[in-house]
Amino acid sequence: GEVEQNLGLPLMAFIPELAKGGKGNSAPEKQVVENPFSEYSESYRGLLHSFNFVHTGLAATVIVVTSAVPEEGKTTVAVSLARLASQSGKRVALIDADLRNPSIASVMELKDVGHGLVSALLGEQSLADCLKNDPISDVMVLPSTRIRFKPSKVLDAENIRDLVHGMRADFDLIIIDTAPLMPVNDAKNFAQLSDFVLFVVRWEKTPRGIVKSVIRDMRKLELNIAGLVMTRTDTR
């Protein structure tokens, strides 16, 4: 109630904090696969069901997952949501669009990541050559690696639009993990092409003033903010 009153957005999910070293507690991003009936996995199942997936032809639903500042858990949310959705038979693609701090390849333990998002955007490699298989699910991943030049030179709005439009024909759901919105503007081109923006905040950690400022900015861009996900909550 406090979140919705202060921010004017629905709270879509509480993601519980995982106990360190507990029995069966693998990495958070693996929980939905290895412990599908845990409280943690159920929170993501509820989040997935919160979306109304309406498909026209082969068009996919595109969800951007972002946050106000780093260390909020947005990558964990993006990976977990993608893996859970793939279990229901959806054709799911996951894009690492955080070029300043790419982490999905490491988190998902992808091997031999040579080409990825940058190569696909610049037309250096075909999309098929850039997509990687998630080792523990059916998710197809478009990873990123650190680049030598400014991300703003790569994240051209037209190239992003062409990439996302092309992927809509091959997938049911596309989840895009972007950079935090407060320090940089890289995420905005992706967010403007999405059907929904999922905003991640960390329980008892994210300053509410910063959250309010970022939400105001998103509303100015007329983004469709689906709601908030609160991570690492103490459910007791």
Side-chain angles (χ1 to χ4, degrees):
E2 182 182 0
V3 170
E4 295 181 0
Q5 181 179 354
N6 276 270
L7 303 177
L9 290 172
L11 183 60
M12 299 183 71
F14 279 109
I15 308 299
E17 176 81 275
L18 292 174
K20 294 182 179 179
K23 183 178 180 181
N25 279 342
S26 55
E29 298 83 8
K30 293 182 178 179
Q31 282 284 317
V32 297
V33 176
E34 297 182 359
N35 297 292
F37 302 110
S38 65
E39 180 187 14
Y40 183 87
S41 298
E42 287 296 338
S43 66
Y44 279 102
R45 195 165 287 111
L47 175 59
L48 186 66
H49 290 163
S50 297
F51 289 98
N52 293 319
F53 295 106
V54 180
H55 301 297
T56 303
L58 296 177
T61 297
V62 179
I63 299 174
V64 158
V65 181
T66 192
S67 61
V69 291
E71 306 298 328
E72 302 292 86
K74 64 177 181 58
T75 296
T76 297
V77 170
V79 172
S80 299
L81 196 60
R83 283 173 166 167
L84 185 67
S86 73
Q87 294 175 6
S88 66
K90 293 184 184 297
R91 298 171 300 167
V92 180
L94 175 62
I95 301 175
D96 188 347
D98 188 350
L99 299 186
R100 298 171 190 269
N101 186 30
S103 57
I104 282 181
S106 174
V107 165
M108 301 182 79
E109 301 177 353
L110 303 180
K111 306 297 184 183
D112 301 321
V113 179
H115 303 289
L117 175 62
V118 173
S119 297
L121 286 173
L122 298 180
E124 297 173 347
Q125 298 288 331
S126 69
L127 177 62
D129 289 336
C130 296
L131 288 168
K132 311 299 179 185
N133 294 294
D134 178 15
I136 65 171
S137 77
D138 292 329
V139 176
M140 298 300 296
V141 187
L142 186 57
S144 288
T145 55
R146 293 191 180 276
I147 56 177
R148 297 184 299 275
F149 36 86
K150 292 182 178 180
S152 57
K153 293 184 178 181
V154 179
L155 298 176
D156 176 76
E158 185 174 350
N159 289 344
I160 292 173
R161 183 173 60 251
D162 290 344
L163 175 71
V164 173
H165 178 74
M167 293 181 71
R168 280 182 184 267
D170 297 320
F171 296 95
D172 301 313
L173 176 63
I174 300 170
I175 297 175
I176 306 175
D177 178 30
T178 71
L181 288 168
M182 190 68 184
V184 295
N185 291 317
D186 296 348
K188 292 179 180 177
N189 285 340
F190 281 101
Q192 288 176 310
L193 290 171
S194 68
D195 300 306
F196 302 103
V197 175
L198 198 56
F199 195 56
V200 176
V201 292
R202 185 170 166 182
W203 183 76
E204 288 199 336
K205 179 76 173 180
T206 313
R208 70 182 66 194
I210 290 177
V211 173
K212 287 182 177 181
S213 176
V214 172
I215 289 173
R216 281 196 300 269
D217 289 343
M218 287 195 287
R219 283 174 171 153
K220 289 177 183 177
L221 295 173
E222 299 182 348
L223 302 179
N224 184 10
I225 312 172
L228 275 73
V229 174
M230 193 162 284
T231 59
R232 301 186 66 173
T233 61
D234 183 349
T235 54
R236 292 174 297 177

